Amino acid sequence: MAKMSIKKGDTVKILSGKDRGKQGTVLHAYPAEGKIKVEGVAVVKKAVRPNQQNQTGGIVSQEAKIDASNAQLVCPKCGAATRVGHKQGEIDGHKTSIRVCKKCGAEF
Ligand SMILES: [Zn+2]
């Protein structure tokens, strides 16, 4: 499987499905599954029983996981939904893979 380049907190654009064209913030990333949850995307309603967090229970809306391949990263610099490249670099003294926008060359 290709390395997932989307991380929690990223903004992504949805490429397919009923939420196609929407942009949202990544709430969770699941690299092992190649899936993500995106705010306001693939929202499903779920019935919940009353519990300690939710005294009354009822229907809650919750984002479902979607394939990361159905979303494209939105560059924080130029705002384009873009493919990203990777390069090795260092952040705060740790060797890490830095993502590079293929449109504007921004590193993030
Ligand atoms: Zn860019």
Side-chain angles (χ1 to χ4, degrees), residues 16-39:
S16 63
K18 70 179 170 73
D19 293 309
R20 184 175 167 175
K22 267 193 193 173
Q23 284 190 10
T25 304
V26 177
L27 300 173
H28 292 284
Y30 308 88
E33 300 171 62
K35 291 184 188 290
I36 53 174
K37 273 188 190 177
V38 183
E39 191 171 27

Side-chain angles (χ1 to χ4, degrees), residues 41-87:
V41 171
V43 174
V44 289
K45 295 218 189 300
K46 203 174 156 187
V48 292
R49 290 163 191 269
N51 58 31
Q52 282 187 336
Q53 284 81 44
N54 184 340
Q55 301 284 335
T56 54
I59 307 289
V60 295
S61 293
Q62 206 173 56
E63 284 85 358
K65 290 180 198 174
I66 62 167
D67 269 359
S69 59
N70 289 337
Q72 202 166 35
L73 197 59
V74 174
C75 173
K77 280 267 165 55
C78 68
T82 180
R83 291 168 54 87
V84 291
H86 290 274
K87 69 175 202 177

Side-chain angles (χ1 to χ4, degrees), residues 74-80 82 100-106 108:
V74 174
C75 173
K77 280 267 165 55
C78 68
T82 180
V100 183
C101 173
K102 295 223 168 161
K103 286 235 167 77
C104 72
F108 54 96

